[in-house]
């Protein structure tokens, strides 16, 4: 359709010059919504696409902090407040050396639609810094988090913009960020989620993205007369999302056999030793290479020995593949390996981990595909439960949170199926997720006027 290229050209020449990841995310949404636009030309008449593809506000700030030797460091900080048509901005904060405005714009853009798909009233945002938390002392992490918050605390608020965790930002960092906000404003407002329990966090929030991913995948499979029970599953990553996906896979009787970190990959054909993995990554913050010291039969492949774009996760034969590390980690070669090994379903735990070429191959080969916008929405859904518990002071048991999470993931699946039926999409859940998310946001924008 004509509007796709016209909008892409406007974006390319305008607000996303040089932004390759944002461009990739934008194209996927614009192509997917073609059946909706055909039925509802009013979205073009109202210029919703032009309005939706530009962030409301993009904040760039300087973070100055002192290391343990009193040496001054300067990092870049960002917050992209992309769209608040459905509610206050909501989205995580990422600390990683690769962070730049392009990555955050793509993540914030995806977050708008993911949040809309949950059916909860929140807008989309993302933030972060190019700060590298690796090998920093606890005191340095604290100082950095305090400087980050001090630099932009007046741009957020419990009804304005609520932060959360992401790569490099876990309970420890969230605690420091929250503590600094409280000190600067003298308020205990819920301006960040994924808080430790003692600071008003929700039971089940840490597990929510990984558990939600498995609930969504299992719901989808059950609807098609299949199950994950007894099946070999491959997982990439070994952070919050990957670890809790592995935990839930064990709970439902599946066999997770791989995990990876930024330095290498583990294959343990007897099933990943979850306690060892948690000890290494959550407690000791150590590299996965130490895994094989205790599990002699497992294999470890270092990143420098990866060949042809494969991380040695995706060449392991499996029934289900769960990319849970980072964007564009599963490319064309990996997709070919998975298809060759007869994978039945790919479910995205990370944000946009599958490249467009790899997605094309999965679609061509009729592999079931659960897109991140739906499959990893459990984290943000439980974050909203955390916000509501903070404001009502009425805290839920972990059983209640888990039940709400299951219900939300299954409602998302039902809504996507309905959208597939309405637009004759078959099992194209990528298009369904984009259409559903876009429609909810676009309708709210139109109702609020220009
Ligand atoms: P964490 O920081 O907890 O973990 C990230 C993990 O991925 C780490 O083990 C890291 O390795 C590994 N990793 C990073 N880059 C690579 C790479 N190139 N190859 C292999 N492994 C890599 O982050 P999360 O688990 O929270 O987030 C993972 C993904 O899930 C991200 O895309 C995030 O945006 C998405 N997500 C997270 C949510 C959440 O609730 N946390 C919610 C929704 C989406 P190392 O240990 O060496 O650093």
């Amino acid at each position: 359709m004509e509007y796709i290229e016209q909008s892409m050209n406007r974006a390319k020449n305008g607000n996303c010059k040089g932004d390759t990841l944002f461009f990739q995310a934008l194209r996927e949404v614009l192509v997917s919504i073609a059946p909706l636009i055909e039925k509802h030309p009013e979205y073009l008449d109202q210029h919703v696409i032009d309005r939706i593809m530009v962030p409301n506000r993009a904040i760039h700030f300087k973070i100055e902090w002192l290391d343990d030797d009193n040496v001054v460091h300067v990092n870049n900080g960002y917050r992209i407040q992309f769209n608040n048509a459905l509610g206050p901005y909501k989205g995580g904060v990422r600390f990683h050396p690769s962070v730049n405005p392009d990555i955050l714009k793509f993540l914030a853009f995806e977050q708008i639609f993911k949040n809309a798909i949950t059916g909860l009233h929140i807008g989309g945002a993302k933030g972060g810094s190019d700060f590298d938390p690796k090998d920093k002392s606890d005191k340095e992490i604290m100082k950095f988090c305090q400087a980050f918050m001090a630099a932009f605390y007046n741009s957020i608020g419990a009804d304005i913009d609520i932060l959360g965790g992401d790569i490099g930002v876990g309970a420890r960092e969230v605690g420091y960020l929250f503590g600094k906000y409280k000190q600067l404003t003298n308020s205990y407002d819920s301006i960040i989620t994924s808080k430790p329990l003692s600071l008003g966090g929700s039971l089940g929030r840490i597990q929510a993205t990984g558990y939600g991913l498995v609930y969504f995948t299992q719901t989808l499979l059950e609807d098609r007369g299949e199950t994950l029970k007894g099946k070999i599953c491959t997982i990439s990553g070994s952070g919050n999302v990957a670890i809790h996906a592995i935990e839930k896979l064990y709970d439902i009787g599946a066999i997770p056999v791989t995990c990876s970190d930024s330095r290498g990959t583990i294959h343990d054909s007897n099933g990943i030793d979850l306690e060892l993995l948690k000890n290494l990554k959550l407690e000791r913050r150590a590299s996965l290479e130490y895994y094989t010291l205790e599990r002699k039969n497992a294999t470890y492949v270092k990143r420098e020995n990866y060949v042809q774009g494969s991380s040695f996760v995706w060449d392991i034969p499996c029934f289900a593949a769960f990319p849970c590390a980072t964007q564009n980690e599963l490319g064309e070669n990996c997709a070919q390996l998975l298809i060759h090994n007869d994978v039945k379903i790919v479910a995205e735990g990370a944000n946009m981990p599958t490249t467009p070429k790899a997605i094309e191959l999965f679609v061509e080969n009729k592999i079931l595909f659960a897109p991140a916008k739906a499959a990893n929405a459990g984290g943000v859904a439980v974050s909203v439960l955390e916000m509501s518990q903070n404001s009502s002071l009425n805290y839920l048991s972990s059983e209640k949170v888990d039940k709400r999470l299951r219900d939300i993931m299954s409602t998302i699946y039902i809504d996507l199926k309905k959208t597939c039926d309405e637009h004759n999409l078959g099992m194209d859940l990528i298009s369904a997720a984009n259409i559903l998310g876009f429609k909810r946001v676009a309708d709210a924008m139109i109702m609020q006027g220009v």
Side-chain angles (χ1 to χ4, degrees):
M1 286 176 91
E2 217 179 318
Y3 79 89
I4 300 174
E5 288 320 313
Q6 283 173 356
S7 304
M8 292 303 291
N9 282 336
R10 271 201 292 280
K12 210 185 237 167
N13 298 323
N15 82 313
C16 69
K17 261 187 200 142
D19 289 345
T20 50
L21 288 168
F22 174 61
F23 210 62
Q24 180 183 332
L26 177 65
R27 177 175 281 282
E28 184 198 287
V29 171
L30 295 186
V31 171
S32 292
I33 60 173
L36 179 75
I37 299 290
E38 206 163 316
K39 280 192 190 163
H40 297 279
E42 65 271 20
Y43 293 127
L44 292 185
D45 300 341
Q46 298 269 354
H47 292 269
V48 175
I49 293 173
D50 285 342
R51 293 165 59 199
I52 223 167
M53 70 187 190
V54 181
N56 292 356
R57 240 171 19 139
I59 309 164
H60 181 181
F61 48 95
K62 179 177 68 168
I63 307 152
E64 296 174 330
W65 59 282
L66 287 174
D67 69 17
D68 288 345
D69 298 319
N70 282 328
V71 176
V72 178
H73 295 265
V74 182
N75 283 97
N76 292 289
Y78 309 92
R79 185 71 180 167
I80 313 291
Q81 297 177 332
F82 216 119
N83 188 295
N84 63 352
L86 284 174
Y89 302 108
K90 174 84 193 91
V93 172
R94 178 176 290 193
F95 292 164
H96 193 272
S98 65
V99 162
N100 60 35
D102 178 27
I103 290 191
L104 294 178
K105 233 160 95 185
F106 118 68
L107 288 167
F109 185 68
E110 295 273 293
Q111 195 80 42
I112 306 170
F113 304 108
K114 180 192 312 202
N115 292 359
I117 288 167
T118 62
L120 300 164
H121 281 277
I122 37 174
K126 201 82 186 189
S129 171
D130 51 10
F131 170 74
D132 187 357
K134 277 213 177 83
D135 305 323
K136 301 289 188 299
S137 72
D138 191 54
K139 199 166 155 207
E140 288 172 332
I141 297 283
M142 181 179 78
K143 282 190 186 163
F144 177 79
C145 290
Q146 292 174 337
F148 181 90
M149 182 52 83
F152 91 121
Y153 73 98
N154 50 8
S155 300
I156 61 175
D159 295 319
I160 300 168
D161 184 0
I162 304 100
L163 318 180
D166 194 75
I167 293 179
V169 178
R172 173 180 61 163
E173 291 75 17
V174 166
Y176 294 145
L177 290 165
F178 181 64
K180 188 66 186 175
Y181 183 85
K182 191 198 72 175
Q183 189 192 60
L184 290 166
T185 60
N186 195 27
S187 96
Y188 216 86
D189 285 352
S190 185
I191 49 84
I192 189 161
T193 57
S194 299
K195 292 185 287 294
L197 292 182
S198 53
L199 303 182
S202 174
L203 286 163
R205 171 58 189 94
I206 297 172
Q207 296 85 352
T209 309
Y211 282 18
L213 171 68
V214 176
Y215 292 151
F216 185 87
T217 311
Q218 184 73 330
T219 308
L220 193 168
L221 286 169
E222 279 169 2
D223 190 37
R224 305 180 66 79
E226 276 281 9
T227 175
L228 285 168
K229 196 167 177 200
K231 306 286 174 31
I232 301 287
C233 299
T234 51
I235 296 95
S236 63
S238 55
N240 177 290
V241 179
I243 286 177
H244 295 106
I246 290 173
E247 185 163 87
K248 187 49 68 181
L249 284 168
Y250 274 128
D251 276 1
I252 63 167
I255 310 158
V257 296
T258 63
C259 60
S260 61
D261 65 13
S262 52
R263 291 174 244 207
T265 295
I266 289 289
H267 175 213
D268 190 338
S269 53
N270 297 323
I272 292 293
D273 181 333
L274 185 59
E275 286 321 304
L276 175 58
L277 178 65
K278 281 186 175 179
N279 175 269
L280 278 176
K281 300 308 289 188
L282 301 181
E283 281 160 46
R284 289 160 54 194
R285 298 177 195 273
S287 157
L288 278 179
E289 67 189 300
Y290 299 108
Y291 184 97
T292 48
L293 291 181
E294 293 182 43
R295 295 276 281 194
K296 303 279 184 222
N297 292 331
T299 49
Y300 175 72
V301 182
K302 269 193 174 162
R303 168 172 280 272
E304 46 266 39
N305 296 328
Y306 291 176
V307 281
Q308 292 186 336
S310 173
S311 63
F312 284 97
V313 172
W314 314 122
D315 53 352
I316 307 293
C318 65
F319 174 87
F322 296 89
C324 296
T326 194
Q327 63 273 357
N328 285 338
E329 56 164 305
L330 200 170
E332 196 178 347
N333 289 339
C334 308
Q336 273 160 353
L337 287 167
L338 282 165
I339 293 164
H340 174 78
N341 286 328
D342 208 18
V343 69
K344 292 289 182 284
I345 182 164
V346 178
E348 296 185 314
N351 285 312
M352 208 168 77
T354 317
T355 64
K357 208 76 208 138
I359 292 178
E360 237 173 80
L361 285 172
F362 291 135
V363 172
E364 261 169 47
N365 286 277
K366 305 211 166 3
I367 309 295
L368 288 172
F369 191 85
K373 282 189 195 91
N376 76 15
V380 75
V382 174
S383 281
V384 175
L385 296 185
E386 180 175 332
M387 288 153 60
S388 107
Q389 292 171 80
N390 291 160
S391 62
S392 66
L393 297 180
N394 184 8
Y395 285 83
L396 301 174
S397 65
S398 46
E399 291 73 23
K400 281 200 173 139
V401 173
D402 194 54
K403 164 128 193 9
R404 294 283 296 273
L405 174 63
R406 279 171 196 265
D407 290 348
I408 290 169
M409 298 316 290
S410 113
T411 306
I412 292 175
Y413 179 67
I414 292 166
D415 288 348
L416 292 190
K417 272 289 292 275
K418 271 191 210 146
T419 310
C420 282
D421 294 344
E422 251 172 64
H423 297 279
N424 297 320
L425 298 172
M427 275 305 282
D428 178 0
L429 298 181
I430 304 176
S431 297
N434 287 324
I435 288 176
L436 183 65
F438 178 89
K439 187 171 183 335
R440 286 183 178 160
V441 178
D443 290 347
M445 286 172 75
I446 291 171
M447 275 179 231
Q448 289 170 49
V450 180

